[in-house]
Amino acid sequence: MLSNEKVIDLSMYSKENINLHLSILQEIIKRMADNSFKIKGWSITLVSALLGLLISNTNVTSNDLFILLIPIIGFGFIDAYYLRLERVFRNRYESDVKKIREGRIEEVQLLSFSSDNTKSEKTKYIEALLSKSILLLYIPLILSVIFIIYILKN
């Protein structure tokens, strides 16, 4: 054996460990998607409840309704965070499956679940924030609050 050759212990790459690794990744992806779904539900529920409370108050001003923009924006950022994590782990799952199918199993870091990746975290977060699933929910929510504020001013 040459001195610069890397010795790889393939004993940890049993079928059970590989299946466990992939199933844990699937569970992480599922949990991130579920968190994102719940955040969307909470944002609609909270904004609707606050809107109903504020409009039922006879002394409400249009400035009071600007408070509704805070939870919408906050929930949007949290939702984008979970979407970014879901994408990171989905890419990791697909990459690991590809390596296993190509016989490059030694490149798979079994039972290591870091969310680090080659692209910068900031870039991935901005991509998630500007995704359709985020924009198609939170932009209409913001626009509807602005529309209600406009109606109350006139």
Side-chain angles (χ1 to χ4, degrees), residues 25 31 33 63 65 81 96 106 120 149:
L25 280 174
R31 201 173 23 218
N63 292 336
L65 291 176
Y81 170 75
D96 287 355
E106 67 278 354
S120 78
I149 291 169

Side-chain angles (χ1 to χ4, degrees), residues 71-82:
I72 294 172
I73 293 168
F75 279 124
F77 282 116
I78 295 169
D79 197 1
Y81 170 75
Y82 284 117

Side-chain angles (χ1 to χ4, degrees), residues 10-50:
L10 293 177
S11 63
M12 69 178 271
Y13 293 98
S14 67
K15 193 171 193 169
E16 293 83 21
N17 283 348
I18 292 170
N19 287 338
L20 177 63
H21 174 76
L22 294 177
S23 68
I24 290 173
L25 280 174
Q26 287 174 337
E27 284 299 314
I28 293 171
I29 293 165
K30 181 180 169 186
R31 201 173 23 218
M32 294 304 121
D34 188 50
N35 288 342
S36 181
F37 177 75
K38 288 177 182 175
I39 291 292
K40 286 176 175 66
W42 270 99
S43 64
I44 292 171
T45 302
L46 183 66
V47 169
S48 299
L50 287 175

Side-chain angles (χ1 to χ4, degrees), residues 66-128:
F66 276 109
I67 294 171
L68 290 174
L69 296 178
I70 295 169
I72 294 172
I73 293 168
F75 279 124
F77 282 116
I78 295 169
D79 197 1
Y81 170 75
Y82 284 117
L83 178 61
R84 181 192 67 83
L85 281 177
E86 179 187 346
R87 287 178 176 180
V88 166
F89 285 108
R90 189 180 303 133
N91 289 339
R92 168 77 187 275
Y93 178 86
E94 290 170 359
S95 170
D96 287 355
V97 168
K98 182 179 178 184
K99 288 175 186 174
I100 291 167
R101 285 184 179 158
E102 292 174 351
R104 299 183 295 138
I105 196 166
E106 67 278 354
E107 295 177 24
V108 176
Q109 294 178 340
L110 284 183
L111 306 177
S112 172
F113 302 106
S114 172
S115 64
D116 297 337
N117 214 336
T118 54
K119 261 186 160 179
S120 78
E121 298 298 313
K122 191 175 185 180
T123 303
K124 285 181 176 269
Y125 185 77
I126 292 171
E127 287 174 7

